[in-house]
Amino acid sequence: MRKNAELLFLTIAWLSVMGICLFMAVGRLLKVKNSKFLRMILVTACGFLGGMVIYLADWGNIVPTFVFFIAAIMICCEGSVIKRLTVGLMTASTVFSFNALVDNWSPFYQTYQIVIKIFFCAGLWLLIRKLGPDRDFELAPSMWRLLFILTLPPLGIVFSLVLLSDYDTAGISVQYLFLLLLSLSAFAGLLWTMVVLARQQKLEEEALLAEQNRRYYEAMENQHFEIRRLKHDMTNHLQTALALPDDQREGYLRELLEQTGASRTLKYCGDTTVNIILSSKAALMEQNHIDFHVSADISEPLPMEKTDISAIFGNALDNALEAVKNLPENQRRVSLEVRQGKGILAVSVRNPGRLPCAEKTEEKYCRKKNTGILSSLPSTTKNDTKNHGLGLPSIQAALKKYDGMLELRQEGEEVCLLICCYISKSA
């Protein structure tokens, strides 16, 4: 009885070690739901996957283990269906291939086979951690479909060998050994493909954001040029008005005021680019009957690229304007506070509203340590997701150049966007 209890304890122990290793490996590719119960289910499924004995021509182990593991991945992890399914199939085919190799061709006793499997699970986690994509990576649905298709051949090899083999000859076939090694090695290719696709998509997103910021700044510059042109022409307009008869002068001046009333440049601070942006946004706020408060303590031009200044201030105010313009008129207000000092630029934008899925208590979309990247971003509510929802990512891309950080949080009935970056390094 005591011997059976010790054997049960050892079995649970090595299954737990394998489960934790594979759980951490899967957690590098998929976001696991924040539930202790679901995490325990996934660890259990990973433990069974890593420790399951896979004999060729034996249906009894591989099928139920595969179904349990894939079901756990689909239930316990977040992400699109195709993403979860692809990662689950890739992991299952890799572990099944290795276990089939060890269980059918290893010269070691069962105890040593267990140790070998534990080291393999740990090595798989370290491989993904070292060479895999960033933890917060994401791919387009078309890329996940491509990876899903590439995952099917190695998975098909494993299941074909296990389920369709002849029991009398499977254990000695060199061809079977070669096919399992080929299926096992496919994991490295799939992992590298995932890394390459993730890097390519990240480069495309950065290029898109850079182009958007450039066009945004050019629009601000063009508007500022038009304002300067109107000021330059003002003298001619006044001279013309003085030369007109009294009955025509009043109408001419009224028409002139209507044309130029929205085109004014206000001096909020010591940076020309910030003044251009704030003047433009103040006009939009006025058109939408939004109470716009500005406190900008910037005594001198910012040592930042103009496109980055435009991305930070323009997108932050655009998001706030978009959030309040459909509210009742007495609730439409946006507050901007800017402080510059000791090599640091701090920006705060506040407006009434609620973050998506915000709880009654304070909710934060916090940055990751030392990256300036949010752990999650509220998605756009517009149908055109291709051309909308780029405001916060655009701010993030600009902040990366200045070791900046961004925090979006719910404070009572207000949404607060906090931005901080080190501008002395970029001078």
Side-chain angles (χ1 to χ4, degrees), residues 310-358:
S310 176
I312 293 172
F313 285 90
N315 285 294
L317 292 175
D318 282 345
N319 286 347
L321 186 150
E322 189 71 25
V324 303
K325 70 177 184 180
N326 293 324
L327 295 176
E329 191 169 331
N330 61 348
Q331 298 180 19
R332 299 178 194 173
R333 64 181 183 276
V334 174
S335 175
L336 170 68
E337 185 175 358
V338 187
R339 294 289 181 268
Q340 174 195 12
K342 298 182 179 179
I344 296 176
L345 176 68
V347 181
S348 170
V349 180
R350 297 175 181 272
N351 61 268
R354 300 290 294 174
L355 289 173
C357 304

Side-chain angles (χ1 to χ4, degrees), residues 6-162:
E6 291 177 352
L7 181 60
L8 177 62
F9 175 78
L10 290 175
T11 302
I12 295 175
W14 60 259
L15 283 176
S16 299
V17 173
M18 293 183 190
I20 293 173
C21 291
L22 290 179
F23 173 85
M24 292 189 294
V26 170
R28 297 288 304 186
L29 303 176
L30 292 173
K31 184 178 180 181
V32 184
K33 293 180 180 178
N34 190 20
S35 167
K36 291 183 179 179
F37 176 71
L38 293 179
R39 288 172 178 262
M40 187 62 66
I41 291 178
L42 186 56
V43 170
T44 303
C46 290
F48 276 106
L49 176 68
M52 187 55 61
V53 177
I54 304 297
Y55 290 127
L56 301 185
D58 183 6
W59 290 55
N61 290 339
I62 190 171
V63 174
T65 303
F66 175 76
V67 172
F68 179 37
F69 177 72
I70 296 300
I73 289 287
M74 301 301 291
I75 295 172
C76 303
C77 297
E78 298 180 359
S80 63
V81 173
I82 190 68
K83 177 181 180 179
R84 286 175 288 166
L85 187 59
T86 300
V87 173
L89 295 181
M90 185 173 68
T91 307
S93 65
T94 304
V95 176
F96 282 150
S97 299
F98 183 81
N99 286 359
L101 286 170
V102 172
D103 294 329
N104 291 276
W105 283 279
S106 174
F108 301 106
Y109 292 108
Q110 185 175 7
T111 302
Y112 295 104
Q113 291 177 353
I114 293 173
V115 174
I116 292 173
K117 290 180 180 180
I118 291 176
F119 275 101
F120 174 76
C121 293
L124 191 65
W125 166 57
L126 292 175
L127 177 66
I128 296 176
R129 181 181 179 183
K130 183 69 175 179
L131 303 178
D134 296 334
R135 187 183 292 272
D136 59 342
F137 86 106
E138 188 53 82
L139 298 177
S142 59
M143 295 182 181
W144 280 117
R145 287 193 290 270
L146 173 62
L147 282 173
F148 174 77
I149 294 173
L150 294 176
T151 305
L152 294 180
L155 183 69
I157 290 175
V158 177
F159 272 83
S160 297
L161 292 180
V162 173

